[in-house]
Amino acid sequence: MKLRNIAIIAHVDHGKTTLVDELLKQSGSYRENQRVAERVMDSNELEKERGITILAKATSIVWKDTRINIVDTPGHADFGGEVERILNMVDSAIVLVDAAEGPMPQTKFVVGKALKVGLRPIVVINKVDRSDARPAEVVNEVFDLFAMLDATDEQLDFHILYGSGRSGWMAEAPEGPQDQGMAPLLDLVLKHVPEPKIHEDNQFRMIGTLLEANPFLGRMITGRITSGSIKPNQSVKVLAQDGSVVEQGRISKILAFRGIERTPIEEGVAGDIIAIAGLQKGTVADTFCDLSVTEPMVAQPIDPPTVTMS
Ligand code: GDP
C-alpha cells in the first residue's frame, strides 16, 4: 500500500479534532463497531482509562489505496525537541487556521519549525461557516507569517483549501462547492505530499522519534521506517549518533496506527510510522537497525531555508 506521512498543526480550538474525525468518517477508516463519537485527538482520556500512555497522537486513514498517517504536533515550546523530531518523520504538514481568528502566536512556533525542516505545508482555512469569518484576510495573515518566518518562495506558494470541518467539506474557494465533502483535502494530500523517502538497500533502519513507557509492553519507541522491514522476534541493533552500539535485542511487538487505534502488526514496512517494544536502552535519535548495519542515520539537519524573496 502506498503511504503518506503528514503532520497537523493548529492552534487550540481551531478545529483539529473535528477535522480529523470527519476525515476518518468520510474515508471509511472507522471500524464498523467503533463509536464515531470517540474523538480522535482527544483519545488520551480513553488511553488513560485503559492504562495506556500515548505520546504521539496519530491517526491513520486509508484513501484511494494510500495510507495517510496524520501525526499531531504539540503546540507548546516545552516540546521543542519533540516537535522537531516529529516534523522530521513527515513529508508535509496541514496548517489549520480558524477563518475568523487567523493565525495565533502559538501556531507560529510549530510553523517556523516545519518551514525550517523544509516542509511545504498545505494551508486549510477552517470554520468559513462562521458569521465573522474573513478568509481572504486570514490567507494574507498566513502569508505574512510564513514570510516573517523566512519561508522560501516554494513554501510561500502554498496550496490553500477553505472549508468547515464541522460541516464536513473542503473546497478551493471559501464559498464552496460544499458537495465534495473532505475529498478535496484528501486528494490534495495524495497529490501534493511526497512519498516517504526510502533508502535504496533493504536493511531495516529507523530513527527513534518518541519514547514512552507502556504499562503492558514496556519501553516503546516510535519512528518512521526509512528502509527495509521489521517483524516481531527479529533481532535489532541500536546505534547512537556517534556510531557506538547501545544494545542488541529482540523486538517483542510492533504497533502501527490504524484508524484511531494502535494495532499490533506482523510486519512494519519502509515508510510507515510504527512503535516497537522489546528493547531496554534505545532512545530518541538512536538508529534502530538490522545487525549488519554499522552506520547510524543522522537525524536530518535543520538548515535555515535560503531566503529568495525579492
Ligand atoms: P481543536 O482544539 O483544534 O481540536 O478543536 P475542536 O475540533 O475541538 O473544535 C473546537 C470548537 O470549534 C468546537 O466547539 C467545535 O465544534 C468548533 N468547530 C470545529 N470545526 C468547526 C467549523 O468548521 N465551524 C465552526 N463554526 N465551528 C467549528
Side-chain angles (χ1 to χ4, degrees):
M1 187 180 282
K2 283 184 271 181
L3 283 161
R4 294 290 186 280
N5 295 317
I6 192 160
I8 186 158
I9 301 172
H11 184 69
V12 62
D13 271 353
H14 281 199
K16 180 158 66 179
T17 310
T18 309
L19 181 110
V20 174
D21 267 358
E22 204 58 38
L23 291 175
L24 275 157
K25 273 189 235 168
Q26 293 196 25
S27 63
S29 304
Y30 273 111
R31 285 213 319 261
E32 272 170 34
N33 59 353
Q34 233 161 20
R35 280 185 299 130
V36 172
E38 279 178 14
R39 307 185 75 214
V40 184
M41 294 290 182
D42 282 351
S43 56
N44 251 3
E45 280 308 312
L46 253 168
E47 304 301 339
K48 262 185 233 152
E49 273 171 34
R50 294 187 200 147
I52 304 168
T53 330
I54 285 201
L55 295 181
K57 285 179 278 176
T59 305
S60 145
I61 284 165
V62 177
W63 182 249
K64 296 182 178 168
D65 295 327
T66 300
R67 177 175 300 287
I68 306 171
N69 289 318
I70 305 174
V71 191
D72 196 7
T73 48
H76 201 272
D78 286 356
F79 295 96
E82 185 175 314
V83 170
E84 274 172 19
R85 291 197 303 274
I86 289 172
L87 293 172
N88 271 317
M89 194 166 67
V90 298
D91 301 294
S92 183
I94 295 172
V95 176
L96 186 68
V97 184
D98 184 306
E101 287 195 1
M104 299 299 280
Q106 290 91 324
T107 325
K108 197 175 113 183
F109 168 74
V110 185
V111 170
K113 292 208 179 281
L115 296 174
K116 275 202 195 103
V117 302
L119 302 182
R120 292 183 62 196
I122 292 170
V123 173
V124 172
I125 309 295
N126 194 29
K127 305 197 190 181
V128 295
D129 58 303
R130 281 179 66 153
S131 58
D132 53 352
R134 41 183 195 95
E137 267 172 57
V138 167
V139 167
N140 286 334
E141 290 169 13
V142 172
F143 185 91
D144 290 346
L145 173 69
F146 277 37
M148 191 186 77
L149 293 166
D150 292 339
T152 61
D153 282 355
E154 263 198 330
Q155 289 172 324
L156 282 173
D157 190 23
F158 47 77
H159 285 281
I160 309 167
L161 286 178
Y162 303 84
S164 165
R166 198 166 66 186
S167 313
W169 64 272
M170 290 285 142
E172 285 182 14
E175 57 278 2
Q178 304 185 8
D179 61 358
Q180 308 292 303
M182 303 302 277
L185 177 55
L186 291 162
D187 287 339
L188 185 60
V189 168
L190 299 200
K191 201 176 126 202
H192 167 81
V193 181
E195 284 178 46
K197 272 188 232 101
I198 291 168
H199 286 247
E200 60 285 357
D201 70 26
N202 273 328
Q203 302 188 76
F204 170 70
R205 286 186 190 83
M206 177 183 110
I207 288 199
T209 298
L210 297 154
L211 170 69
E212 73 198 86
N214 182 295
F216 304 114
L217 301 172
R219 193 180 179 90
M220 299 215 66
I221 295 278
T222 296
R224 173 177 57 175
I225 304 176
T226 51
S227 64
S229 61
I230 180 90
K231 291 181 172 169
N233 293 320
Q234 202 168 310
S235 290
V236 298
K237 181 158 81 177
V238 184
L239 296 172
Q241 289 275 301
D242 65 5
S244 59
V245 179
V246 176
E247 67 176 316
Q248 287 192 14
R250 199 178 284 272
I251 299 299
S252 58
K253 202 105 178 164
I254 305 172
L255 302 183
F257 298 100
R258 300 291 180 254
I260 64 167
E261 292 183 339
R262 261 191 339 182
T263 316
I265 54 169
E266 287 309 311
E267 182 174 30
V269 297
D272 207 357
I273 294 172
I274 60 158
I276 52 176
L279 297 161
Q280 308 304 319
K281 292 191 196 133
T283 187
V284 295
D286 288 348
T287 298
F288 297 75
C289 52
D290 276 346
L291 300 181
S292 51
V293 174
T294 52
E295 291 284 319
M297 287 187 298
V298 183
Q300 277 172 35
I302 297 172
D303 295 326
T306 25
V307 184
T308 46
M309 277 184 66
S310 48

